[in-house]
């Protein structure tokens, strides 16, 4: 048996946490021969609920699950962690401006970035799910002294999965036939699900779906607004699908990407595709091996795509400017 891998999860008593922990503990992420330690981080008032979740984890008697540590202490929560999944954040409430939300969450991610730098394992990787996830990841990354920037990610995989599913439905094919789908930019309503480079059964999407106006309008809008549509239908935000996307993201980052394909995740831009260096922006990524990834180069960006990407990057720049006091020079 391998040595256990340690996974820290913030917001572990929340909706996404509830859909995520049990799958990690069952081996669905790191495989059937990889034992797992869980360090579950919550704010003090949520510790009783978190203890209930821990009781349920006990009651599953998962063969791969070793230690489970519920805590409100960031040092304890990130001690020795190999994967930090930052799910917890403060939701936007009525009357709250986007800037207020950025500021409140920004402070949380400053502390978490510092605690990761102090306590995590040398190979730590950080995936931010809690919104606004790109900018939260930017703050954590810039406050985690000594942790390489390429270890920080923000989740846009749910958007990718949503986009694939919409294209598959429209083309009446199984969603597994849709590949090369890139989400560009911010995980927000400005994100750009790039149908121009996506493929269905290996063919360009526009060769299969001739309804170009649908692709340019309804498709993009449906993906951008899917989160709001789920809230309207369910009375609560996406949780199981978000947890599933977090699992897909981690799996895609530890497994070589199939030849010719890519996956979407927001990473620290190196300036590729004219995206300002240092922003956490979603783009096409290939995993070479566990721990090693690269931005896929040479993906064609036509004028339509350029405009959409630039609009989302502009929003990321504005978010970055709104939290600049939380970013050490
Ligand atoms: P939730 O409200 O059910 O749970 C959030 C949990 O985080 C709560 O238990 C809360 O106590 C905890 N929390 C708050 N501040 C914390 C802190 N400083 N440290 C540790 N824990 C803290 O929310 P849910 O549905 O689980 O969503 C979590 C986040 O994920 C939200 O920000 C949501 O917007 C985001 N999200 C992101 C998606 C993406 O695609 N990137 C998709 C869906 C949700």
């Amino acid at each position: 048996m391998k040595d256990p891998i340690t996974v820290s999860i913030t917001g572990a008593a929340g909706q996404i946490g509830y859909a995520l922990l049990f799958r990690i503990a069952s081996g669905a992420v790191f495989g059937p021969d990889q034992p797992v330690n869980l360090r579950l981080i919550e704010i003090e008032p949520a510790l009783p609920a978190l203890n209930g979740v821990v009781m349920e984890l006990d009651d599953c008697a998962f063969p791969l699950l070793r230690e489970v540590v519920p805590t409100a202490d960031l040092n304890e929560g990130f001690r020795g962690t190999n994967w930090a999944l930052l799910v917890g954040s403060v939701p936007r409430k009525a009357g709250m401006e986007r800037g207020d939300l950025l500021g409140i969450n920004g402070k949380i991610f400053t502390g978490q970035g510092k605690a990761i730098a102090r306590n995590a394992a040398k190979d730590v990787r950080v995936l931010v799910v809690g919104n606004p996830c790109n900018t939260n990841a930017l703050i954590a990354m810039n406050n985690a002294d000594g942790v390489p920037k390429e270890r920080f990610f923000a989740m846009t995989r749910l958007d990718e999965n949503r986009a694939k599913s919409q294209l598959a439905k429209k083309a009446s094919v199984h969603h597994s036939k849709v590949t090369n789908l890139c989400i560009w930019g911010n995980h927000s309503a400005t994100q750009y699900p790039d149908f121009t480079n996506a493929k269905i059964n290996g063919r360009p999407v526009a060769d299969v779906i001739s309804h170009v106006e649908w692709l340019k309008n309804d498709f993009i809008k449906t993906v951008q607004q899917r989160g709001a549509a789920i809230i309207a239908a369910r009375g609560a935000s996406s949780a199981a699908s978000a947890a599933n996307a977090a699992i897909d993201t981690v799996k895609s980052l530890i497994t070589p990407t199939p030849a010719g394909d890519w996956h979407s995740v927001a990473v620290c831009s190196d300036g590729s595709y004219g995206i300002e260096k240092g922003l956490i922006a979603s783009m096409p990524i290939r995993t070479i091996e566990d721990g090693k990834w690269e931005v896929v180069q040479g993906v064609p960006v036509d004028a339509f795509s350029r405009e959409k990407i630039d609009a989302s990057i502009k929003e990321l720049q504005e978010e970055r400017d709104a939290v600049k006091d939380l970013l050490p020079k």
Side-chain angles (χ1 to χ4, degrees), residues 150 153 182 252-253 255-270 272-273 281-299:
E150 65 270 18
F153 307 93
C182 174
S252 288
L253 288 168
T255 317
T257 307
D261 203 358
W262 54 68
H263 58 99
S264 308
V265 62
V267 295
C268 181
S269 173
D270 62 355
S272 296
Y273 297 102
S282 187
M283 54 188 97
I285 299 301
R286 283 185 57 71
T287 301
I288 298 150
E289 61 186 34
D290 189 358
K292 211 165 157 206
W293 59 266
E294 63 185 10
V295 178
V296 178
Q297 299 297 333
V299 175

Side-chain angles (χ1 to χ4, degrees), residues 9-18 41-47 49 71-72 74 86-92 105 108-109 112 128-134 136 154-159 162 187 234 236-239 241-243 245:
I9 300 159
T10 68
Q15 287 202 93
I16 295 176
Y18 195 69
I41 304 171
E42 261 296 350
I43 48 174
E44 290 280 348
L47 285 180
T71 182
L74 292 181
L86 308 186
V87 179
S89 70
V90 173
R92 189 165 174 176
N105 281 305
I108 295 174
F109 287 83
Q112 291 182 354
V128 180
V129 175
N131 280 322
C133 64
N134 298 56
N136 288 341
M155 188 168 95
T156 52
R157 183 57 167 269
L158 179 54
D159 309 302
R162 286 167 169 168
H187 168 70
R234 209 174 81 86
S237 64
S238 323
S241 56

Side-chain angles (χ1 to χ4, degrees), residues 13-86:
Q15 287 202 93
I16 295 176
Y18 195 69
L20 181 61
L21 305 184
F22 296 84
R23 290 183 68 190
I24 296 174
S26 74
V29 182
F30 297 102
D33 60 348
Q34 176 59 67
V36 187
N37 295 326
L38 290 178
R39 302 186 88 84
L40 308 178
I41 304 171
E42 261 296 350
I43 48 174
E44 290 280 348
L47 285 180
L50 182 59
N51 284 329
V53 176
V54 173
M55 286 160 70
E56 284 204 74
L57 279 167
D58 288 346
D59 294 349
C60 291
F62 285 120
L64 291 169
L65 186 57
R66 297 290 185 268
E67 197 184 34
V68 180
V69 178
T71 182
D73 179 291
L74 292 181
N75 291 324
E76 195 180 9
F78 290 121
R79 192 158 300 137
T81 199
N82 306 106
W83 273 97
L85 308 181
L86 308 186

Side-chain angles (χ1 to χ4, degrees), residues 53-247:
V53 176
V54 173
M55 286 160 70
E56 284 204 74
L57 279 167
D58 288 346
D59 294 349
C60 291
F62 285 120
L64 291 169
L65 186 57
R66 297 290 185 268
E67 197 184 34
V68 180
V69 178
T71 182
D73 179 291
L74 292 181
N75 291 324
E76 195 180 9
F78 290 121
R79 192 158 300 137
T81 199
N82 306 106
W83 273 97
L85 308 181
L86 308 186
V87 179
S89 70
V90 173
R92 189 165 174 176
K93 299 192 184 95
M96 210 187 252
E97 296 295 331
R98 196 173 171 82
D100 301 335
L101 185 71
L102 283 164
I104 293 167
N105 281 305
K107 291 200 184 70
I108 295 174
F109 287 83
T110 308
Q112 291 182 354
K114 288 185 168 63
I116 287 168
R118 281 195 305 270
N119 295 285
K122 287 273 164 283
D123 66 352
V124 67
R125 275 172 277 180
V126 181
L127 172 64
V128 180
V129 175
N131 280 322
C133 64
N134 298 56
T135 298
N136 288 341
L138 181 80
I139 294 167
M141 178 182 81
N142 279 286
N143 282 279
D145 236 2
V147 183
K149 289 189 171 9
E150 65 270 18
R151 308 268 197 77
F152 286 82
F153 307 93
M155 188 168 95
T156 52
R157 183 57 167 269
L158 179 54
D159 309 302
E160 176 186 324
N161 289 347
R162 286 167 169 168
K164 284 181 167 170
S165 158
Q166 292 301 320
L167 291 177
K169 272 194 189 356
K170 184 77 174 172
S172 302
V173 299
H174 189 258
H175 41 258
S176 59
K177 304 296 181 198
V178 185
T179 60
N180 301 82
L181 194 298
C182 174
I183 302 293
W184 295 91
N186 199 2
H187 168 70
S188 75
T190 67
Q191 64 171 277
Y192 172 50
D194 181 0
F195 62 86
T196 67
N197 289 295
K199 293 182 179 152
I200 297 176
N201 278 320
R203 296 168 60 204
V205 164
D207 288 1
V208 183
I209 300 172
S210 54
H211 192 172
V212 177
E213 283 314 302
W214 180 85
L215 288 167
K216 286 186 162 173
N217 295 295
D218 301 34
F219 163 69
I220 294 178
K221 233 180 260 146
T222 302
V223 177
Q224 289 175 335
Q225 302 293 339
R226 185 70 165 181
I230 302 277
I231 293 175
R234 209 174 81 86
S237 64
S238 323
S241 56
N244 181 67
I247 288 167

